[in-house]
Amino acid sequence: MLKELRIQNLALIESLHIELDTALTVLTGETGAGKSIILQAIHLLSGGKAASSWLRSGTDSVEIEALFELRDQRSDLPRIIQEMGFATDGELLLKRSLTKNGKSRFYINGSLSTAKVTAEIAEHLLSVASQHDHQQLLIPRLHLDVLDTIGDLWPQRQQLAELHSHWTSLGKKYKKLMTQEQDKEQRRDFLSYQCREIEEATLDPNEEEALLREKNRLKATDTLISLGKVSHQLLAETVGDAMGRVRQNMEKMASHDHSLSEMAEAIAGHAYELEDKASELLRYQDTLNNDPALLDKVSGRIDLLQQLKRKYGETVAEVIAHGEKARQELANLDQLDDQLATMAEEFNQAGEKLRRLATKLSTARRKVATRFEKGIGEELNSLSFAQASLQVQFNNGAEDSDLNDINATGGDRLEFMFSANPGEPLKPLAKIASGGELSRLLLALKCLLAKNDHVETVIFDEVDAGISGKAAEAVARKIKELGQHHQVICITHLPPIAAAASQHFTVCKTVNDGRTRTAITLLKEKQRVAELARMLAGDSVTEKTLAYAREMIEAGD
């Protein structure tokens, strides 16, 4: 249950701190006083999206804290909290801060958390019913969610959704294999041609660079021959003869002066090296051959490589890799018949499993629908709506569902059918229910859900719209009854509901120093009588109104 709520700098709320009762707490006040801000705080604390514009003007941050006591021994929440890595000792503190630059932080028992984790935990702590839920009742596709929640069928539904996803994935793969089978021979010819073209080229990933160098050498043969001859002549005749004479002179000089021996030996070595280079250059010239046919052969090989690269890859290595991939695909084509048979069997088995699970879930839903119709009828009866009737209309059979009609939620298409008066035919709820009827239907539904779940705190945000007279008194009795086994917080404009409360707060706006503030006050006995009289008569409160308000409170207690 929610024990304490603290709000700092949220919209018109400067500072608010309230402690809440275990039974029925009501919040009343004039329209626009700021009651919705409190619900907004709960929404933010439960992981809802925020905006920096919600900060009170002139402040830097919003802080919201809520302290919950974990009383329900049947609840899995303590285990869930521990599995998420948070410590708990029977109490849970949720906190959220929001700064004007848009940064938001969540805390659970003082440790940082995320919006997703906080939202998951909040789902186990409280349930909020607002006027927005009225509109959800009018959406037929959401009726299935209601039924699955009532019957605790979500685990089966999740299992079916996972199987449906698997079956759909198999179907896509099977369809792809079927297409490949239809185009197999054409694809085989195409791949065979590619493999043959690449294999016949006998590619080497390093040959292209060598070929380009060879091509450049062959194109420059005449120049190489000419320059080689001149260079050999210079080395062998001009330079060689001169070095020979220098070598002989140095040998004679060294014979007279031994200090020149080392120099003479070095010059002799250079002279012999020049002779070797001249011979090497001569041998190189003998290798040169101005052969246009060889140049054409090398150029043709380079053109072949360029052609293959344009088809199969940017480099020779990529062309080789493409050939290997084509060979592998060819091998797979030979195995395609076996793959197709295996995939068909797997796809059909998954489909049959999906059909059985959808049929099982559909059967379970029909059993739940019977209990739901009885339960909602009892709840409506206790809300002075005994003449109303609500039934679940299934638009499909429970067995032998067509696989094509099964989606992630199963094969069921259903809608709530409603009749507000005896003798009137059942019609789609979305077409005939009035605002007051929807309010009572929503309350009946929430009461039914509250009996089946472990959420301790139920919040009603003006779900009494369009209700008055005996219906209002019946709604008040129902909400008070719910407060006997749940903590109920109700924002209301109905005096009978306010009179039934065990704790009554009033929300009002005040202006001090030119600033508007929303304040919340726990009412004492006399204040409560005055507030109830205001709700009954507005500004025209009389002694009779006050007396009637006291009677209502005494009757509510």
Side-chain angles (χ1 to χ4, degrees), residues 341-392:
T342 301
M343 182 60 70
E345 183 178 1
E346 188 176 354
F347 177 62
N348 290 333
Q349 287 178 352
E352 286 305 311
K353 186 175 180 181
L354 178 64
R355 190 198 310 276
R356 289 195 299 271
L357 188 57
T359 300
K360 180 180 178 182
L361 180 57
S362 185
T363 301
R365 282 169 173 163
R366 280 163 168 74
K367 293 180 180 178
V368 172
T370 301
R371 299 199 309 269
F372 170 66
E373 291 171 354
K374 180 180 178 182
I376 202 73
E378 292 173 351
E379 295 294 337
L380 290 173
N381 184 51
S382 67
L383 288 168
S384 294
F385 212 1
Q387 72 277 18
S389 175
L390 187 142
Q391 293 183 13
V392 182

Side-chain angles (χ1 to χ4, degrees), residues 356-479:
R356 289 195 299 271
L357 188 57
T359 300
K360 180 180 178 182
L361 180 57
S362 185
T363 301
R365 282 169 173 163
R366 280 163 168 74
K367 293 180 180 178
V368 172
T370 301
R371 299 199 309 269
F372 170 66
E373 291 171 354
K374 180 180 178 182
I376 202 73
E378 292 173 351
E379 295 294 337
L380 290 173
N381 184 51
S382 67
L383 288 168
S384 294
F385 212 1
Q387 72 277 18
S389 175
L390 187 142
Q391 293 183 13
V392 182
Q393 176 178 289
F394 287 85
N395 298 322
N396 63 294
E399 298 179 355
D400 300 325
S401 299
D402 190 319
L403 283 173
N404 293 324
D405 293 332
I406 298 174
N407 57 25
T409 65
D412 293 306
R413 309 292 179 267
L414 60 86
E415 186 173 5
F416 291 164
M417 306 296 287
F418 180 72
S419 173
N421 301 296
E424 292 295 324
L426 292 164
K427 294 182 180 179
L429 177 64
K431 295 183 178 180
I432 59 174
S434 67
E437 291 166 348
L438 283 175
S439 294
R440 280 185 280 178
L441 274 171
L442 179 61
L443 179 58
L445 184 59
K446 284 294 180 179
C447 290
L448 201 58
L449 287 168
K451 293 178 181 179
N452 295 333
D453 60 30
H454 302 312
V455 173
E456 293 188 46
T457 302
V458 181
I459 301 175
F460 292 108
D461 179 20
E462 298 186 7
V463 295
D464 47 29
I467 297 175
S468 60
K470 291 183 178 180
E473 294 175 356
V475 167
R477 288 193 298 270
K478 174 55 65 176
I479 290 178

Side-chain angles (χ1 to χ4, degrees), residues 143-154 157 361 365:
H143 295 172
L144 185 63
D145 297 350
V146 172
L147 200 65
D148 287 346
T149 301
I150 291 289
D152 196 21
L153 297 177
W154 282 95
R157 178 164 160 176
L361 180 57
R365 282 169 173 163

Side-chain angles (χ1 to χ4, degrees), residues 129-414:
S130 66
Q131 294 186 56
H132 171 68
D133 294 325
H134 290 179
Q135 301 306 313
Q136 290 186 323
L137 278 177
L138 301 179
I139 303 175
R141 62 180 175 81
L142 297 181
H143 295 172
L144 185 63
D145 297 350
V146 172
L147 200 65
D148 287 346
T149 301
I150 291 289
D152 196 21
L153 297 177
W154 282 95
Q156 292 183 46
R157 178 164 160 176
Q158 179 61 32
Q159 182 184 1
L160 185 139
E162 292 172 358
L163 181 57
H164 181 267
S165 176
H166 176 62
W167 177 74
T168 302
S169 177
L170 289 176
K172 292 178 180 178
K173 293 178 182 178
Y174 182 60
K175 185 177 181 180
K176 183 178 180 181
L177 284 177
M178 287 287 291
T179 302
Q180 291 178 359
E181 172 67 22
Q182 294 170 1
D183 301 334
K184 182 172 67 174
E185 295 307 320
Q186 182 179 358
R187 184 66 177 170
R188 188 193 302 277
D189 291 342
F190 179 65
L191 291 171
S192 298
Y193 169 77
Q194 289 187 338
C195 290
R196 187 167 56 252
E197 185 177 34
I198 294 173
E199 289 172 359
E200 290 176 353
T202 58
L203 299 175
D204 181 339
N206 301 315
E207 69 173 315
E208 188 173 20
E209 185 177 351
L211 286 168
L212 290 172
R213 289 197 302 268
E214 179 66 8
K215 180 179 179 181
N216 290 333
R217 190 181 73 84
L218 290 172
K219 290 175 66 176
T221 298
D222 291 341
T223 301
L224 292 172
I225 291 174
S226 175
L227 293 174
K229 286 181 178 180
V230 173
S231 299
H232 177 266
Q233 185 176 4
L234 289 171
L235 282 175
E237 297 178 4
T238 306
V239 177
D241 290 346
M243 283 297 295
R245 288 196 296 274
V246 172
R247 176 177 58 79
Q248 292 173 358
N249 291 340
M250 288 303 298
E251 288 175 351
K252 289 179 180 180
M253 291 172 68
S255 67
H256 297 291
D257 184 354
H258 290 293
S259 65
L260 296 174
S261 297
E262 186 175 345
M263 184 184 297
E265 290 178 1
I267 291 175
H270 290 311
Y272 292 138
E273 186 177 355
L274 282 174
E275 289 177 6
D276 289 340
K277 295 301 179 184
S279 299
E280 187 178 336
L281 188 56
L282 185 61
R283 289 192 299 273
Y284 171 73
Q285 291 182 71
D286 292 340
T287 65
L288 294 174
N289 182 11
N290 192 352
D291 186 356
L294 181 59
L295 177 60
D296 289 343
K297 181 180 179 181
V298 172
S299 298
R301 181 65 177 176
I302 293 174
D303 290 342
L304 175 62
L305 296 183
Q306 293 296 329
Q307 180 182 0
L308 292 174
K309 288 196 298 179
R310 283 194 295 271
K311 289 183 177 181
Y312 306 120
E314 295 183 358
T315 65
V316 175
E318 289 184 10
V319 174
I320 295 173
H322 183 88
E324 293 174 352
K325 184 178 179 181
R327 281 193 296 273
Q328 183 60 50
E329 189 175 346
L330 266 175
N332 291 339
L333 284 178
D334 293 334
Q335 303 171 5
L336 186 58
D337 290 340
D338 293 338
Q339 292 177 2
L340 192 59
T342 301
M343 182 60 70
E345 183 178 1
E346 188 176 354
F347 177 62
N348 290 333
Q349 287 178 352
E352 286 305 311
K353 186 175 180 181
L354 178 64
R355 190 198 310 276
R356 289 195 299 271
L357 188 57
T359 300
K360 180 180 178 182
L361 180 57
S362 185
T363 301
R365 282 169 173 163
R366 280 163 168 74
K367 293 180 180 178
V368 172
T370 301
R371 299 199 309 269
F372 170 66
E373 291 171 354
K374 180 180 178 182
I376 202 73
E378 292 173 351
E379 295 294 337
L380 290 173
N381 184 51
S382 67
L383 288 168
S384 294
F385 212 1
Q387 72 277 18
S389 175
L390 187 142
Q391 293 183 13
V392 182
Q393 176 178 289
F394 287 85
N395 298 322
N396 63 294
E399 298 179 355
D400 300 325
S401 299
D402 190 319
L403 283 173
N404 293 324
D405 293 332
I406 298 174
N407 57 25
T409 65
D412 293 306
R413 309 292 179 267
L414 60 86

Side-chain angles (χ1 to χ4, degrees), residues 516-542:
T516 302
R517 294 175 176 83
T518 288
I520 183 168
T521 304
L522 176 61
L523 301 182
K524 296 181 179 179
E525 184 177 352
K526 288 185 178 181
Q527 294 171 316
R528 190 178 175 196
V529 170
E531 172 64 8
L532 199 61
R534 180 201 63 79
M535 297 174 69
L536 288 166
D539 294 332
S540 304
V541 175
T542 65

Side-chain angles (χ1 to χ4, degrees), residues 107-120:
Y107 300 87
I108 297 177
N109 284 349
S111 299
L112 274 171
S113 180
T114 64
K116 181 179 179 181
V117 169
T118 305
E120 289 178 4

